[in-house]
Amino acid sequence: MKLFRKTILYLFLASLPIALIGTGVLYWLIHKEIIHEIDELMQSDLKKVEENLMKTNPESIQLTDWNENPGITIVPDNIYIPQTLKDTIQGKPGKRHKLFPSGS
């Protein structure tokens, strides 16, 4: 019975570093792939926005702060920007639009 316990302990201690390293590598690979996909999505969205802005005449919509060179600004991680959605459904007269968090 002592040999069996020693064998189990040895196998457990041998497999623990392998499991920890494997978990770390798997996490890193998944995180890298997610970041890559988000970057691709943001670049494709930027191209669509640029195309739409170039099709639109800025004088026709009378924008006071028109930017002919749209771009993506990198924001530091320590700045929190709340994401909100505006309810565009007209309610009863006198009621204002509500801001809903994007998670709902």
Side-chain angles (χ1 to χ4, degrees):
M1 202 60 168
K2 288 182 179 180
L3 179 62
F4 182 69
R5 286 185 185 173
K6 287 181 180 179
T7 305
I8 295 293
L9 181 62
Y10 172 75
L11 290 175
F12 174 73
L13 293 176
S15 65
L16 189 62
I18 294 170
L20 291 176
I21 292 171
T23 302
V25 169
L26 185 62
Y27 171 79
W28 178 75
L29 289 173
I30 291 172
H31 181 67
K32 184 178 174 184
E33 186 63 28
I34 289 173
I35 295 298
H36 178 70
E37 290 296 322
I38 290 173
D39 286 343
E40 283 184 358
L41 286 172
M42 290 178 71
Q43 288 297 327
S44 66
D45 287 348
L46 175 63
K47 287 180 184 177
K48 289 177 188 177
V49 168
E50 286 176 341
E51 290 171 1
N52 288 338
L53 286 175
M54 295 306 160
K55 290 178 187 175
T56 306
N57 184 5
E59 288 81 22
S60 66
I61 53 178
Q62 299 175 354
L63 292 176
T64 57
D65 56 349
W66 179 259
N67 183 3
E68 293 184 8
N69 298 314
I72 296 174
T73 303
I74 298 175
V75 179
D77 291 339
N78 59 353
I79 295 177
Y80 173 72
I81 300 174
Q83 297 177 353
T84 57
L85 301 174
K86 185 175 181 181
D87 183 11
T88 57
I89 299 174
Q90 293 292 332
K92 295 180 181 178
K95 291 210 171 192
R96 295 184 180 186
H97 294 292
K98 296 179 180 177
L99 292 177
F100 296 102
S102 62
S104 61

